Amino acid sequence: MTEAPGAHGRLLAQLERRAGLRIDRGHEQRLARVLGQVAPEGGWRERFGSDAAFRSAVIDAVAIDESYFFRHHAQLEYLRDVVLPGLVAERPAGHRLQLWSAGCADGEEPYTLAVLLAEAGVADRADVLGTDVSPAAVERGRTARYSRWALRSRRAQDRSHLFDPDGGRFRLRAEVVASVDLRTHNLMDLPYPAPTAAPGFDVVLCRNVLLHLTPDALAVVVPRLVAALAAGGWLFTAPADPSPVAVPGTGPLDAVVLPTGGVVYRRPDTAPTARVPVATPFPVAAPPRPHPRRRRRRSVAARVATPRPAASMPPPPAADEDGPARCARARALLAAGRPAEALGHAMAAAFLSPDLAPAHLTLGLAAAATGRHAVAGRAFRRAAELFDAMAGDDVVELAEGETAGALADLARAHALLHLEGAT
Ligand SMILES: C[S@@+](CC[C@H](N)C(=O)[O-])C[C@H]1O[C@@H](n2cnc3c(N)ncnc32)[C@H](O)[C@@H]1O
């Protein structure tokens, strides 16, 4: 039996509805190839409903599970050095930190989290969950054998002792694997995973997932992700993802601009936990599953009592402060989560030093964080032009060691988002 004309398109439409994925030409080609291999005889829609192995192969064909260890390292370093110590200081004694990598691909991201927790000295008081819509990706994550490509970042190479060579691949050390719980979950479906030991997640990473979702799916998923956060919990999305604060129905969420320019989000401390997301009641949490593979590590209590570092704020500006000084002031305010105050200094910096690329990038970030999308779009485009005019590997002053090439990419990605946001 061969499949009727149009069946391929109907299967794609079904996938788009079920997983919320925007289907493009690349997906179609991959799916056609996989269908040719696993079910050339047809009957796809029926098998999708009844045959788990077939469903897994089809979902895997359209899921873009590209990931690597220590991706977006500036965010991760902020998580390790600022967010985790801050949460430890704020949460009650005995609280186990709850971290969730939503859309975790083959496990690179949740395993990276486990490594960061160990480096922050809090691995023995934290739980890490990774979920993905693709059962095949979750299964690959559980085997934890990776290609060199997944370890391509310098940060992963600096930690090569965590990976043992294994037949042309690299096997992640068993103690890291044992500290992470990987499960299949579709972000379009309720119930959402429940943290093992708390009313909500302290940290959710949902990076490079939202950009693949349809607008309808975003409106479903983003409010639920935010509702899954505990009060004071953090949401990390990737630079190329649509901003969660722009999604209708999302509850209060503060944008926090990182010293290196990216933005992450925090649910206000005062927001009640377990808010109801949009029209759909948030499900009662399933009883926590035991973690059979989890091992307790040695106590790190002595090392975890690090208070959140207070952002050091320069004194008020002198009348003769120049563009770079105003830019530094704006960046310090952004890093302290005070974008409205940063905006004035960033505008002054861009006015006083019109060719200073970091001033325009900072202005874009401050404007974006305060909802001034047209200003942000213009500033990001100017920043991209100015960074492009520099040598790509020049380390940029006022930007914590980032290169001009990386900052040009960042400015361009933001400019694209704010091109759409400005209309
Ligand atoms: C590009 S990867 C990102 C992996 C990792 N978060 C990162 O930033 O490197 C996107 C992942 O999102 C998953 N995904 C897409 N739609 C999903 C959905 N509806 N529910 C759960 N995961 C989904 C895909 O299967 C894929 O593994």
Side-chain angles (χ1 to χ4, degrees):
M1 176 180 104
T2 50
E3 197 52 88
H8 184 238
R10 282 198 298 279
L11 181 62
L12 282 169
Q14 192 175 358
L15 278 166
E16 188 171 272
R17 258 197 326 279
R18 285 285 305 274
L21 286 168
R22 279 192 284 122
I23 304 288
D24 63 22
R25 208 82 210 107
H27 289 114
E28 286 178 32
Q29 286 165 352
R30 269 199 308 282
L31 182 63
R33 206 170 43 243
V34 167
L35 290 174
Q37 286 160 5
V38 302
E41 71 286 5
W44 301 328
R45 291 189 71 201
E46 299 69 37
R47 282 186 69 180
F48 191 79
S50 61
D51 178 342
F54 175 77
R55 192 163 53 244
S56 173
V58 164
I59 291 174
D60 204 43
V62 295
I64 299 168
D65 63 351
E66 157 63 10
S67 186
Y68 55 93
F69 283 85
F70 292 90
R71 188 174 196 180
H72 308 310
H73 64 86
Q75 286 192 346
L76 297 174
E77 280 147 19
Y78 186 78
L79 172 67
R80 182 193 59 200
D81 300 339
V82 178
V83 170
L84 293 176
L87 285 167
V88 167
E90 288 162 12
R91 298 303 195 219
H95 173 81
R96 291 188 69 75
L97 297 174
Q98 304 295 308
L99 289 83
W100 175 23
S101 160
C104 68
D106 296 5
E108 296 88 342
E109 187 174 82
Y111 289 139
T112 297
L113 287 177
V115 174
L116 293 172
L117 285 162
E119 291 176 356
V122 293
D124 57 350
R125 49 174 302 182
D127 298 317
V128 182
L129 171 69
T131 61
D132 200 278
V133 68
S134 165
V138 169
E139 208 33 62
R140 286 191 294 272
R142 287 182 180 144
T143 63
R145 288 176 76 243
Y146 294 95
S147 66
R148 203 176 280 283
W149 188 236
L151 310 183
R152 62 186 177 271
S153 80
R154 185 167 63 72
R155 269 84 188 166
Q157 285 159 25
D158 290 345
R159 293 161 174 92
S160 57
H161 62 282
L162 295 173
F163 299 90
D164 296 322
D166 181 11
R169 294 175 84 81
F170 297 87
R171 185 181 291 278
L172 180 61
R173 297 285 289 272
E175 61 270 30
V176 182
V177 177
S179 66
V180 172
D181 183 17
L182 293 182
R183 296 188 223 164
T184 303
H185 174 254
N186 179 357
L187 289 166
M188 293 295 284
D189 289 346
L190 293 175
Y192 262 31
T196 48
F201 286 97
D202 296 299
V203 177
V204 173
L205 271 71
C206 187
R207 305 187 308 165
N208 303 296
V209 179
L210 302 181
L211 80 165
H212 298 299
L213 300 186
T214 63
D216 286 350
L218 279 177
V220 171
V221 169
V222 173
R224 288 180 183 166
L225 286 175
V226 175
L229 287 172
W234 293 77
L235 174 65
F236 284 65
T237 58
D241 284 319
S243 165
V245 291
V247 175
T250 301
L253 209 53
D254 296 330
V256 178
V257 179
L258 309 188
T260 42
V263 182
V264 297
Y265 303 90
R266 188 168 201 201
R267 193 169 160 184
D269 265 338
T270 48
T273 339
R275 269 179 312 111
V276 174
V278 281
T280 322
F282 195 65
V284 176
R289 279 189 355 162
H291 288 233
R293 291 175 295 131
R294 176 170 299 124
R295 285 205 335 225
R296 297 277 173 257
R297 287 189 202 76
R298 69 197 167 87
S299 165
V300 288
R303 283 183 288 146
V304 296
T306 323
R308 178 196 294 272
S312 61
M313 214 42 68
D320 59 350
E321 253 186 14
D322 61 5
R326 297 297 287 269
C327 180
R329 187 178 291 285
R331 298 187 71 78
L333 285 160
L334 280 177
R338 291 157 60 182
E341 292 162 74
L343 184 63
H345 293 292
M347 281 178 163
F351 176 78
L352 292 168
S353 301
D355 295 333
L356 184 67
H360 293 274
L361 180 60
T362 308
L363 173 57
L365 294 166
T370 50
R372 290 165 174 79
H373 298 295
V375 175
R378 279 195 299 276
F380 285 131
R381 283 192 290 284
R382 180 75 185 128
E385 280 168 17
L386 290 167
F387 283 125
D388 275 338
M390 301 166 73
D393 53 2
D394 264 7
V395 173
V396 178
E397 255 187 84
L398 289 167
E400 286 86 25
E402 291 287 332
T403 62
L407 291 171
D409 289 345
L410 178 76
R412 253 191 307 278
H414 278 291
L416 275 177
L417 291 176
H418 290 279
L419 198 62
E420 287 159 20
T423 55

